[in-house]
Amino acid sequence: MTDDTDPGSNLKQWKETMQAEHEEAIHSPDPDEDHRIEGVSQVSYRVSFEYDPDSGSLERADREQVDELADPELLSCVCGVRGMTPEEATAHVEAVRE
């Protein structure tokens, strides 16, 4: 007995279905939902420590910001649409206003 299913084809079909659902959610938002675009960004710091012999531990002595706050590459809407580019997020919000 042979297995006629092609895992590569199944994966491709799944990806196409997910992409179509994602596009639909971006361009046809529910008007009754709250729509606010959010993203997560991280700023890095260089932190130095000094040893405290009384407590036997390292204590934070100094911190220096080593990069600037940057806008995240992927955004989400509080309505549940995730993983949008800034262009897709703009289209999502514009679709709500139409």
Side-chain angles (χ1 to χ4, degrees):
M1 184 176 219
T2 61
D3 184 8
D4 293 330
T5 60
D6 176 11
S9 177
N10 290 342
L11 179 58
K12 182 179 177 186
Q13 183 179 8
W14 176 81
K15 285 181 178 180
E16 289 171 354
T17 300
M18 294 302 292
Q19 184 62 36
E21 290 175 4
H22 185 68
E23 289 294 321
E24 177 70 19
I26 290 170
H27 297 291
S28 298
D30 183 345
D32 297 328
E33 290 283 334
D34 183 25
H35 297 279
R36 187 177 65 251
I37 303 301
E38 300 177 328
V40 175
S41 186
Q42 182 174 324
V43 177
S44 297
Y45 289 88
R46 179 175 295 112
V47 181
S48 61
F49 296 87
E50 291 182 4
Y51 177 72
D52 181 354
D54 294 331
S55 66
S57 63
L58 295 174
E59 304 293 331
R60 185 182 303 170
D62 190 36
R63 74 176 184 178
E64 172 190 1
Q65 186 174 328
V66 294
D67 60 6
E68 294 298 317
L69 179 64
D71 289 341
E73 293 179 20
L74 294 177
L75 303 169
S76 298
C77 182
V78 297
C79 75
V81 181
R82 307 273 184 254
M84 294 184 285
T85 64
E87 294 78 18
E88 290 171 327
T90 301
H92 181 70
V93 173
E94 288 173 346
V96 171
R97 298 192 187 319
E98 292 178 353

